[in-house]
Amino acid sequence: MVETIRLKSFIFLFLLSLSACSTIDSNRRIYITDSDYKSTILEVSKSTQTYDGLVNTIDVRATLMTSKVREAQTLRKATNFQWTEAEVIAEREYQQKSSAAETKIFMSFYTPEAKDDNLHKVDTVWRIFLDVEGKRYAGTVQKMSDSVTEVRDLYPDHTKWGTPYIIKFLVPTSISETNPSLLTLTGPVGSATLNF
């Protein structure tokens, strides 16, 4: 009960603080500026590369989808598609429910061997973990089907050489965004870790 009240209070205060970054114009369209959006995303984006000699074996660029990122993405979509206030409210409700149950991380992943770029497949050669508060959570991976343009609009760090993935972990976002979190990608090609 106390945790639920804290979460609701946090979400309320968070949304209130974002009101400075978003605007409602005279036609009731809600929007966020490019610079505000990019700074919000890049604030929680990390990257790492591994090499075998001069050959890049792994390139990982990841964004922890905090409550602030989810709200910024809602406003970005509202800006791009000129959503109504009702559409924004519906998206916020969806994001609040989702973040109460799970943590999402966007990952732009590159490895030179196409056969090893299979994070989303059942028989993948990779394992992905998120360590938070002394607990390890295994990730469930979904490959994004959006165009490079759409993905780069939401994740400025993504390149055309990377494959976009969303990774879900069964830990509430409120825990992963308020505690040190370690993302690990490991397999026979190599390992990469990112600290959030």
Side-chain angles (χ1 to χ4, degrees), residues 5-196:
I5 293 171
R6 283 186 189 158
L7 180 60
K8 287 181 180 179
S9 298
F10 172 79
I11 290 171
F12 172 76
L13 291 173
F14 169 73
L15 293 175
L16 187 63
S17 71
L18 277 181
S19 64
C21 295
S22 64
T23 307
I24 301 177
D25 70 13
S26 60
N27 294 323
R28 304 295 298 164
R29 287 191 308 242
I30 300 170
Y31 63 93
I32 186 170
T33 66
D34 284 345
S35 61
D36 285 341
Y37 179 77
K38 286 180 181 175
S39 66
T40 299
I41 300 302
L42 295 177
E43 184 179 300
V44 290
S45 294
K46 307 289 182 185
S47 65
T48 189
Q49 296 83 34
T50 61
Y51 291 87
D52 182 8
L54 298 175
V55 178
N56 180 216
T57 55
I58 301 172
D59 187 321
V60 176
R61 298 158 194 256
T63 301
L64 178 63
M65 295 177 67
T66 62
S67 300
K68 190 174 178 180
V69 167
R70 288 174 186 241
E71 175 62 12
Q73 287 187 339
T74 297
L75 296 174
R76 183 69 166 189
K77 291 173 186 176
T79 302
N80 289 346
F81 302 111
Q82 297 185 9
W83 282 358
T84 64
E85 196 169 352
E87 289 172 305
V88 172
I89 290 168
E91 179 67 11
R92 283 179 174 152
E93 288 174 359
Y94 166 77
Q95 292 298 338
Q96 287 172 2
K97 287 178 185 175
S98 173
S99 65
E102 64 193 7
T103 293
K104 290 182 182 179
I105 293 180
F106 165 80
M107 180 184 288
S108 178
F109 176 73
Y110 168 80
T111 192
E113 293 291 331
K115 64 181 173 56
D116 293 330
D117 186 357
N118 62 359
L119 301 181
H120 63 296
K121 294 187 177 176
V122 175
D123 61 345
T124 183
V125 297
W126 301 96
R127 297 291 175 260
I128 302 175
F129 305 103
L130 185 67
D131 292 297
V132 185
E133 288 194 312
K135 294 182 183 176
R136 175 166 275 188
Y137 301 89
T140 304
V141 182
Q142 176 184 356
K143 184 177 180 180
M144 293 178 71
S145 60
D146 303 23
S147 72
V148 173
T149 303
E150 291 172 296
V151 175
R152 288 210 57 196
D153 184 62
L154 290 177
Y155 304 98
D157 221 11
H158 178 64
T159 69
K160 64 181 179 180
W161 294 282
T163 302
Y165 294 99
I166 295 292
I167 307 158
K168 298 177 183 180
F169 302 92
L170 291 178
V171 55
T173 303
S174 61
I175 294 174
S176 61
E177 70 184 358
T178 57
N179 293 285
S181 301
L182 177 68
L183 177 68
T184 302
L185 170 74
T186 188
V189 176
S191 295
T193 58
L194 297 170
N195 289 290
F196 292 101

